[in-house]
Amino acid sequence: MRAVLMRDRRLTVEQVLDPVPREGEVLVEVLACGICGTDLHCARHGPEFNRAVATARGVGLLDLERPVVLGHEFVGRIVAHGPGTTGRIPLGRRVVSAPALTRPAGTLLGFATPETPGGYAERMVLSESLLLEVPDHLPTEQAALTEPLAVAFHAVARAEMGPDDVPLVIGCGPIGLAIIAVLRMRGSGPIVAVEPSAPRRALAEALGADVVLDPARESPYRAWADLAARGAPRNGPGTGAVRGPKPRPTVAFECVGTPGVIQQIVAGSPPRTRIVVAGLCMTTDGFEPAQAVLKELELRFAMMYSPAEFARTFTHLTTGDFDVAPLVTRTVSLDEVPAVFAALSESPEDAKVLIVPTSRAAP
């Protein structure tokens, strides 16, 4: 089969052996796979990424001595049931899965060797126990958004938002846009989005942001604080509360991953803001703790999701709770992936780019 291999930070399209399903695994044809910012970081900052994972979790992630087949946001069609499977999902049906194999040592797909490839390939193996069947009415392109939406779902959960919270989303790349979609699905608002790119600002508005700002033209922190200052109704008579509105709580989502952005949020946030960092910065960063202490800010970080959050996200997709079609801005073939990787970090227009590995059209 054909696959995109990452070797020494370079991407090439090559022929590799088809993966072979083990006990409890199925072989799928990859119908679509999203390009994630983490994939871009692995290609550009592989050693740094490995050091961060090893320091935080005590294990390595990428074997940089061997070719790696990226891709952890995928939809596949079952083409073979491996040994020990039940066949609960028939051949030919579309499936999504959390990007892992339930082998004794565990394998995180998308950061793996050609023997257990991620979705940047024509075929891959998946654990039957983790499969979720894609219903006929859900387009493949939208089903492929399950994983990034699950990341956003988890980030919003980390914020522990109340009904009156005013969210600010800084950076409208794929994760920022996905967070906007999750916030809209939850009924949170008004949602303030900040993005220098005009095409991405339009996407933010299409996905549900109420106020979309260009940081080069006006301060997002002032507009955000003004919305919060308009207040929420206080408790009625007999509760001991004073009359009149009180400022609404504020929550900021950092979705850029560039040094200096956290400090900008610390400096610009109203007191007692909760800050959720979802952007992946691969270099040393810093902020002014005294400012955060004086404002009593909360700083939280979000990464990945639980199996339950993945399943709940997929359920929201299948029931139409998300309106996420605008998130996919284009599809590309395997042969186009190396050039797309080189261009994506500079693209002011793209949101989610999907790879379609085979020439057959997916439903």
Side-chain angles (χ1 to χ4, degrees), residues 38 41-42 45-62 108 111 280-282 303-304:
T38 303
H41 285 308
C42 288
H45 307 284
E48 297 90 339
F49 193 77
N50 262 359
R51 282 196 295 271
V53 174
T55 302
R57 300 190 176 181
V59 296
L61 183 61
L62 294 167
L108 190 59
F111 305 92
L280 188 59
C281 181
M282 296 305 301
M303 180 69 176
M304 293 292 287

Side-chain angles (χ1 to χ4, degrees), residues 72-361:
H72 55 275
E73 305 175 358
F74 48 77
V75 180
R77 179 185 286 122
I78 299 177
V79 296
H81 293 114
T85 54
T86 66
R88 64 180 180 87
I89 302 179
L91 296 178
R93 298 300 296 173
R94 295 176 299 152
V95 292
V96 297
S97 170
L101 294 175
T102 57
R103 295 180 178 178
T107 299
L108 190 59
L109 295 170
F111 305 92
T113 61
E115 291 79 16
T116 52
Y120 289 19
E122 292 180 323
R123 285 172 285 282
M124 64 191 303
V125 291
L126 299 173
S127 293
E128 185 186 40
S129 60
L130 298 179
L131 298 181
L132 298 171
E133 185 175 359
V134 179
D136 291 338
H137 71 268
L138 184 64
T140 293
E141 287 188 351
Q142 293 187 34
L145 299 174
T146 304
E147 202 278 346
L149 283 169
V151 172
F153 190 94
H154 176 70
V156 173
R158 290 282 292 136
E160 296 182 304
M161 295 179 64
D164 293 329
D165 290 3
V166 180
L168 171 69
V169 179
I170 302 172
C172 295
I175 290 301
L177 292 170
I179 286 175
I180 290 170
V182 172
L183 291 169
R184 175 55 61 208
M185 183 269 295
R186 287 170 45 98
S188 301
I191 302 167
V192 183
V194 185
E195 170 59 46
S197 162
R200 286 183 171 179
R201 289 199 300 274
L203 287 172
E205 187 173 5
L207 286 163
D210 299 288
V211 180
V212 183
L213 302 174
D214 179 353
R217 297 173 62 90
E218 56 187 309
S219 168
Y221 303 103
R222 185 178 301 113
W224 178 41
D226 287 346
L227 284 171
R230 295 176 189 176
R234 292 199 174 194
N235 294 328
T239 63
V242 297
R243 295 182 179 180
K246 61 179 178 179
R248 298 175 64 174
T250 45
V251 178
F253 293 92
E254 191 280 300
C255 306
V256 182
T258 299
V261 176
I262 293 177
Q263 173 53 32
Q264 291 175 13
I265 300 172
V266 167
S269 293
R272 296 186 178 87
T273 294
R274 293 188 302 284
I275 303 168
V276 178
V277 179
L280 188 59
C281 181
M282 296 305 301
T283 62
T284 300
D285 198 1
F287 64 94
E288 305 252 355
Q291 295 180 21
V293 169
L294 290 167
K295 292 183 177 182
E296 294 191 331
L297 304 180
E298 294 184 42
L299 185 59
R300 306 181 182 188
F301 296 84
M303 180 69 176
M304 293 292 287
Y305 41 79
S306 69
E309 288 171 325
F310 187 92
R312 287 177 64 190
T313 301
F314 182 68
T315 298
H316 284 303
L317 265 175
T318 61
T319 55
D321 296 335
F322 289 121
D323 181 13
V324 292
L327 190 53
V328 178
T329 50
R330 60 173 165 147
T331 60
V332 299
S333 68
L334 286 177
D335 291 313
E336 295 174 277
V337 172
V340 168
F341 255 60
L344 266 180
S345 63
E346 305 299 326
S347 171
E349 299 181 0
D350 277 310
K352 181 57 62 180
V353 176
L354 295 183
I355 301 167
V356 180
T358 59
S359 58
R360 278 181 288 178

